Amino acid sequence: MPTGFQKFWSLWHSSRHKSNKSGALRDQQQKQNGAINEARDDSIEIISGSPGLSRITRSSPTNIERDPYPPQQRGCFANAHHNIFHHTKMVEHEHVYQYITSGRPVLEVLEKKCVSGAEIDSSVRYPLPKCHPDTRQALRTRIITWLSDPHRHWHMFWITGPAGVGKSAVAQTIAEYCRDIGQLGAAFFFSREHNRNDSHRVIPTLVRQLTMHDPDYKMIITERLADDSTTLDKNIQTQFRQLITEPFAILRARRPSVPVLILLDGLDECNDEDAQCEFVELISQYIRLNPTPPVLWMICSRPESHLKNLLRRADYVIPCKRETLPIDDTIAQQDVYRYLWHGFHEIRVQYIHLLDIGRTEIWPPEAQLRQIAGVVSGLFILADLILKFVGDKDRRNPQAQLNVYLNFTNTWGLSGGINPFRALDLLYIQIMTGVHRDILPTTLQILSLVIFYLSENNLGGLTCSEAANFLGLDLGTFYCALDRLHSVLDIPPVEEAAFQPLRLFHSSFGEFLCDPDRSGPFALREEGTRHSFAIRFIRWCNYHINSCNFSTGGRSCAYPPLEEWMEDIYIPEPLSEGMISFVWTWIWKVVVTVKGPEETSAVLAELHQFDFCWLTSEQCSGLLQVPFMGFLRWLFEVQPHDEKLLRLIPGRRTDQDLLNIYDGGAFIRTYVANENEQYHIITLAQENAMPSVPASGYISIDTGLLWLGCDERACLVVAYIQTDIYVPKITFLRNHKPVDQIDEYLVPWGWYQTWRR
């Protein structure tokens, strides 16, 4: 009988024999698996990529008769577990799994290069700007038709318009429409204020959105970034080619598809002007090389100078459909009215219990609504600010808020420290901040001319080149000073400067600049510029009267020819009708506003050089007689006693010569002996009305003489009152022609009867 040891030995030996047999079988199976793996067509391939990056790919099995693995166990590591892999990229058929040295997925690295908040539905942009259903209908219809047209001629749609006209609302509305129908590839909403303007992050942001839209595109981008993660650090041109142009070319070769839309809103707010132009050029080149591209492009921007110049280039035509959103056209104004009506209706419904009106009563009244719409014109941002201000949920008093707004617009000044247009002011401040400080004084000078003398409510007007001439600016300096203001000023191109005026897109910009509390360092102060503009008006009028058909008798003009201090500017001889009308309309009105001893002395010094001897009544009056009489009164009050430009008694030889020419010497001498009487006659003429005291106390006669100007530049002013209608009349005697030609000196007012001696 076997002992216990013998039993143990027998069991051990038996188990070992079985183990050896299992090991032999296992070795045989491993050899068979190795043969199968060797038979596969490049079944496992290790490829070195970027530093710390490798890729293992597996293709479909070939040259084998059977697959030893069940379908659920297929793969490079079928049935494997507890494995650790470092620095690998695995491609399993069409599914991609990738990791970079740091352990982060490729798309995580892409995320790091993206701009947060630039997407269509980003919460940081809330509330999102959108078109009201009743506004911009025609434009939205044109864009949607363009998107759906397979035979479209253009593959880029560019919308331009002034600041605040509603471009972003159109962009957001179109982007949401494309998203809903599955046609939106990507959107980038630039914002300088919120730092969404880094040009080097635009392409990565668009690419990240495109990977979420199309899995096939995502696979291509993932492989490319895994192979070369430095692509995201390369220049814009390389990024555009490797991440947009080439991937979409691959996709198009694989399958047909409906073109997707990539939208860039606020391109002008990108932090690099060269990059802005580069984006446009890259898109244009892409469209040229792809007659029917798989990507459509839509750009919205302000009409900044570098973008306008790019669109005007004759040697590089930008293939795009362009739409301009004006402020003052009828459609825009009607849209704004509808937008305001709906907005006020919602406020009324929400606060009906706080408004002292009946349930069927219109609020605000139609007259007030039309007044508000008239102020807004087509500036949607202003309409939106008004509705937000009136419907302020913190104040919850729409009627009081409406009253504050109406009072603000009536006075265009802060009302109790409340500014309904603070957001608009911040926009204008942002625009003005873009003007370089070295050129800012010139910019403010041009804006002063436009706002104080060339606005719609003022008489007279100038073309763009005439405005530059008036200010003594060469063409380059003039356009450089306005380079950053194309979003608030309608600035014609250089080739149209001689025909088109310079004007504000919207009056709110001028009102902002004229209020120091709102515009701060950019404020325009009319009183601070009056004397400099007065001097310019005097010089231009003097230039005109010396370039007229009057013979100067060999005398040169009081000032050098204007061509000498305005280089590269052509000044016609004689001056244009617009310039003549402008300077003579304003000269007397502006001079009389000059105050302060230093400013007055500077203006008087200019007037001492003024050739009054060549004045005509039409030039003195402009459109009215009153301004020149007001000028005489101002001159009489401010002139020094020892150097009088305006004299009531002849004191110089030239004065006496002029008096001798006049036919009523004795009568005149008696009259001018009393300066107070003459002064009151001037006062009556300036006010163009009956005096408040009996006329007999002031007007003993109906004619007066005044000597104006220095030496040979002087003239004799004959002022008299037509007593039945109390209208002043003036004529001039000049000192450069024989006495027998006196009738030629007595030049009447243009629309009065001729006065002769």
Side-chain angles (χ1 to χ4, degrees):
M1 188 169 184
T3 63
F5 174 78
Q6 289 174 334
K7 291 180 179 180
F8 171 76
W9 176 257
S10 177
L11 291 172
W12 177 83
H13 182 77
S14 175
S15 63
R16 181 171 181 178
H17 176 74
K18 292 179 180 179
S19 175
N20 290 336
K21 183 178 181 180
S22 298
L25 292 173
R26 185 164 53 249
D27 292 342
Q28 183 180 359
Q29 183 68 40
Q30 288 175 350
K31 291 179 180 180
Q32 183 180 1
N33 290 345
I36 293 173
N37 288 335
E38 290 175 359
R40 294 178 183 270
D41 183 18
D42 296 331
S43 59
I44 298 178
E45 178 186 5
I46 299 179
I47 304 174
S48 60
S50 301
L53 182 69
S54 64
R55 184 176 69 184
I56 300 177
T57 65
R58 173 186 174 130
S59 63
S60 301
T62 58
N63 301 326
I64 61 174
E65 295 182 358
R66 69 181 181 86
D67 190 347
Y69 304 108
Q72 67 272 17
Q73 296 178 350
R74 292 177 182 177
C76 296
F77 306 101
N79 297 323
H81 57 83
H82 293 87
N83 298 292
I84 299 176
F85 301 93
H86 298 283
H87 318 313
T88 64
K89 173 192 171 187
M90 306 174 193
V91 179
E92 171 68 20
H93 295 285
E94 294 183 354
H95 300 286
V96 183
Y97 308 87
Q98 67 289 342
Y99 292 89
I100 297 182
T101 306
S102 62
R104 294 194 303 271
V106 167
L107 293 184
E108 269 192 28
V109 177
L110 180 60
E111 288 279 3
K112 295 293 183 181
K113 297 291 184 178
C114 295
V115 175
S116 176
E119 306 86 358
I120 177 180
D121 52 1
S122 173
S123 60
V124 301
R125 296 177 53 237
Y126 184 84
L128 300 173
K130 291 178 62 176
C131 292
H132 188 275
D134 292 336
T135 64
R136 301 295 187 195
Q137 291 179 332
L139 174 62
R140 287 187 283 132
T141 299
R142 289 194 294 273
I143 297 174
I144 292 172
T145 301
W146 167 74
L147 288 168
S148 60
D149 184 7
H151 306 293
R152 68 184 67 83
H153 180 68
W154 305 105
H155 302 285
M156 176 165 54
F157 203 107
W158 196 331
I159 298 176
T160 63
V165 79
K167 301 180 295 296
S168 293
V170 174
Q172 180 71 29
T173 303
I174 295 300
E176 291 184 4
Y177 168 82
C178 291
R179 178 196 59 190
D180 294 342
I181 65 173
Q183 200 174 351
L184 179 66
F188 195 107
F189 290 84
F190 290 88
S191 174
R192 188 181 299 114
E193 180 183 0
H194 297 97
N195 296 320
R196 299 196 302 269
N197 62 343
D198 189 343
S199 60
H200 296 288
R201 294 176 178 265
V202 174
I203 299 296
T205 304
L206 296 175
V207 169
R208 183 67 183 96
Q209 296 179 45
L210 288 166
T211 60
M212 300 170 66
H213 174 80
D214 189 335
D216 293 334
Y217 175 84
K218 178 179 180 180
M219 184 183 69
I220 296 173
I221 294 301
T222 303
E223 289 183 341
R224 288 185 171 233
L225 293 182
D227 286 340
D228 185 4
S229 61
T230 64
T231 301
L232 298 174
D233 297 319
K234 295 179 179 178
N235 58 47
I236 294 174
Q237 182 178 2
T238 302
Q239 289 184 15
F240 191 92
R241 175 174 52 81
Q242 295 185 356
L243 301 179
I244 292 182
T245 302
E246 294 176 356
F248 275 103
I250 295 172
L251 290 176
R252 182 171 184 178
R254 290 180 181 177
R255 54 173 171 77
S257 61
V258 176
V260 297
L261 177 70
I262 296 180
L263 188 149
L264 302 176
D265 176 63
L267 178 62
D268 55 280
E269 296 203 32
C270 181
N271 62 354
D272 187 344
E273 290 184 1
D274 292 336
Q276 296 174 29
C277 296
E278 186 176 9
F279 283 128
V280 176
E281 291 170 349
L282 288 172
I283 295 170
S284 300
Q285 184 179 14
Y286 173 75
I287 293 173
R288 288 193 186 91
L289 297 177
N290 296 272
T292 56
V295 178
L296 301 177
W297 299 84
M298 180 172 169
I299 298 176
C300 298
S301 72
R302 298 171 188 169
E304 299 297 351
S305 61
H306 56 283
L307 296 177
K308 291 168 69 175
N309 293 335
L310 182 64
L311 289 171
R312 285 197 297 263
R313 279 178 54 179
D315 60 331
Y316 194 87
V317 179
I318 304 299
C320 68
K321 168 67 175 175
R322 277 177 269 175
E323 290 268 358
T324 300
L325 300 184
I327 286 180
D328 52 0
D329 76 326
T330 303
I331 295 177
Q333 293 172 352
Q334 291 173 349
D335 283 350
V336 164
Y337 181 85
R338 284 191 288 267
Y339 182 71
L340 288 170
W341 189 93
H342 285 286
F344 279 121
H345 177 73
E346 292 179 4
I347 296 173
R348 180 185 180 279
V349 171
Q350 185 176 2
Y351 295 102
I352 186 66
H353 60 288
L354 298 177
L355 294 170
D356 187 19
I357 59 174
R359 292 194 172 273
T360 60
E361 187 175 348
I362 298 176
W363 184 90
E366 180 68 16
Q368 288 185 353
L369 179 59
R370 292 198 174 277
Q371 176 187 350
I372 296 171
V375 171
V376 173
S377 187
L379 195 64
F380 271 89
I381 187 175
L382 187 55
D384 187 60
L385 291 174
I386 293 171
L387 293 176
K388 288 179 179 178
F389 181 78
V390 174
D392 191 339
K393 294 182 179 180
D394 293 331
R395 298 183 181 273
R396 304 181 66 82
N397 191 345
Q399 185 59 61
Q401 292 292 96
L402 179 62
N403 293 338
V404 170
Y405 162 74
L406 293 173
N407 180 65
F408 183 90
T409 54
N410 289 334
T411 60
W412 285 110
L414 297 183
S415 177
I418 299 176
N419 181 5
F421 301 145
R422 175 169 173 75
L424 183 64
D425 292 351
L426 293 176
L427 172 63
Y428 288 149
I429 288 175
Q430 180 191 88
I431 293 171
M432 290 298 299
T433 303
V435 180
H436 197 280
R437 62 182 181 180
D438 292 341
I439 200 70
L440 181 60
T442 304
T443 303
L444 295 178
Q445 186 182 40
I446 298 172
L447 290 172
S448 296
L449 174 65
V450 173
I451 292 171
F452 297 141
Y453 305 106
L454 297 177
S455 64
E456 295 179 0
N457 296 327
N458 290 330
L459 298 174
L462 297 177
T463 65
C464 204
S465 60
E466 288 171 342
N469 286 0
F470 176 81
L471 294 174
L473 301 174
D474 63 79
L475 210 60
T477 302
F478 185 81
Y479 273 88
C480 178
L482 299 175
D483 187 64
R484 301 290 179 168
L485 302 182
H486 284 258
S487 59
V488 289
L489 286 179
D490 186 5
I491 305 172
V494 175
E495 58 270 19
E496 298 178 12
F499 314 104
Q500 299 296 329
L502 182 69
R503 65 182 186 90
L504 304 178
F505 278 128
H506 194 269
S507 60
S508 60
F509 182 57
E511 291 146 2
F512 158 78
L513 291 173
C514 291
D515 189 339
D517 294 329
R518 298 171 61 193
S519 52
F522 307 111
L524 302 179
R525 293 171 172 82
E526 186 176 4
E527 61 277 6
T529 61
R530 285 171 180 165
H531 82 281
S532 62
F533 275 98
I535 290 174
R536 292 198 177 276
F537 281 117
I538 293 170
R539 291 184 177 182
W540 272 101
C541 289
N542 208 37
Y543 181 87
H544 172 232
I545 59 180
N546 278 279
S547 63
C548 288
N549 294 325
F550 300 113
S551 172
T552 59
R555 295 187 303 109
S556 61
C557 297
Y559 296 93
L562 297 183
E563 293 90 336
E564 294 183 8
W565 52 275
M566 281 185 285
E567 299 177 0
D568 302 327
I569 293 182
Y570 170 69
I571 301 179
E573 292 278 356
L575 298 179
S576 66
E577 291 297 326
M579 178 71 89
I580 294 172
S581 174
F582 175 71
V583 296
W584 285 109
T585 295
W586 281 105
I587 178 172
W588 313 122
K589 297 178 183 178
V590 176
V591 168
V592 299
T593 63
V594 176
K595 299 178 182 179
E598 294 183 4
E599 292 80 3
T600 301
S601 297
V603 172
L604 289 176
E606 296 293 332
L607 289 173
H608 273 82
Q609 304 298 318
F610 193 83
D611 292 304
F612 290 100
C613 59
W614 296 115
L615 283 176
T616 67
S617 58
E618 289 84 356
Q619 291 163 349
C620 291
S621 65
L623 298 180
L624 300 171
Q625 301 175 12
V626 173
F628 183 72
M629 297 299 289
F631 161 70
L632 296 179
R633 175 184 179 183
W634 172 87
L635 186 57
F636 184 78
E637 293 176 344
V638 302
Q639 64 183 352
H641 293 290
D642 53 343
E643 296 182 7
K644 290 188 176 183
L645 276 171
L646 179 65
R647 300 170 295 282
L648 305 181
I649 300 175
R652 303 173 184 178
R653 179 175 179 179
T654 304
D655 296 349
Q656 191 61 47
D657 291 342
L658 289 170
L659 183 60
N660 293 335
I661 294 174
Y662 186 68
D663 195 28
F667 173 74
I668 295 168
R669 283 192 293 274
T670 303
Y671 173 71
V672 298
N674 188 332
E675 292 190 4
N676 286 332
E677 244 180 35
Q678 177 64 32
Y679 173 79
H680 285 294
I681 291 177
I682 296 174
T683 302
L684 176 63
Q686 186 218 15
E687 295 178 354
N688 194 16
M690 293 185 63
S692 57
V693 296
S696 59
Y698 289 85
I699 306 176
S700 57
I701 53 178
D702 63 356
T703 306
L705 297 184
L706 304 95
W707 286 263
L708 178 62
C710 296
D711 301 325
E712 72 278 2
R713 296 188 175 95
C715 69
L716 175 62
V717 180
V718 182
Y720 58 98
I721 302 298
Q722 186 172 326
T723 55
D724 54 341
I725 57 175
Y726 293 94
V727 176
K729 296 184 179 181
I730 303 175
T731 190
F732 299 90
L733 297 178
R734 289 182 288 264
N735 190 32
H736 294 285
K737 289 192 177 182
V739 177
D740 58 357
Q741 300 181 19
I742 186 62
D743 283 349
E744 297 183 25
Y745 295 104
L746 299 177
V747 182
W749 290 84
W751 45 277
Y752 284 115
Q753 61 183 1
T754 302
W755 186 82
R756 293 282 188 259
R757 68 183 172 98

